[in-house]
Amino acid sequence: MLVKTNIYTTGGKLIGKIGDLSIGEKAVIVGYEKKGEKYRQKLLSMGLTKGTVLTLLKRAPLGDPVEISVLNYKLSLRKDEADILILAGENYHE
């Protein structure tokens, strides 16, 4: 469950960032921060598209980088890059 900082709601659903997930928690990508337009294309090419479910696998001791599982492969991202993703609980439906 998304339950830490940076949480806001849309339509009554909890929305957050990768830093809000607990290890092993799943979330669905619902959007992208506008500040990350340049890096967004790279995320899209790696399969991090809207509606994709990801799982947080590991977080380095200082919180950066993070390792996620997406589309049956593992991916490590810097926290700043991962924070471009806007996430909701895995059962989120627009």
Side-chain angles (χ1 to χ4, degrees):
M1 173 182 270
L2 294 167
V3 289
K4 294 183 183 171
T5 58
N6 300 323
I7 299 291
Y8 56 96
T9 62
T10 180
K13 304 288 185 181
L14 291 177
I15 305 290
K17 302 281 183 84
I18 201 112
D20 301 318
L21 297 177
S22 301
I23 302 297
E25 187 174 9
K26 292 182 178 184
V28 63
I29 299 168
V30 295
Y32 309 90
E33 289 286 340
K34 292 187 184 224
K35 66 180 181 183
E37 284 295 321
K38 188 175 174 183
Y39 195 69
R40 189 180 124 197
Q41 288 302 317
K42 187 173 180 181
L43 295 174
L44 289 168
S45 69
M46 292 187 284
L48 297 169
T49 58
K50 268 186 171 181
T52 300
V53 176
L54 60 86
T55 305
L56 180 63
L57 298 176
K58 295 178 188 172
R59 181 177 291 129
L62 297 177
D64 190 19
V66 295
E67 183 178 68
I68 61 172
S69 172
V70 59
L71 303 174
N72 295 323
Y73 70 92
K74 295 177 183 176
L75 181 63
S76 291
L77 298 172
R78 292 181 182 167
K79 187 178 178 299
D80 288 346
E81 297 165 345
D83 277 346
I84 294 168
L85 300 171
I86 299 173
L87 307 172
E90 67 176 318
N91 296 323
Y92 178 83
H93 298 286
E94 289 187 284

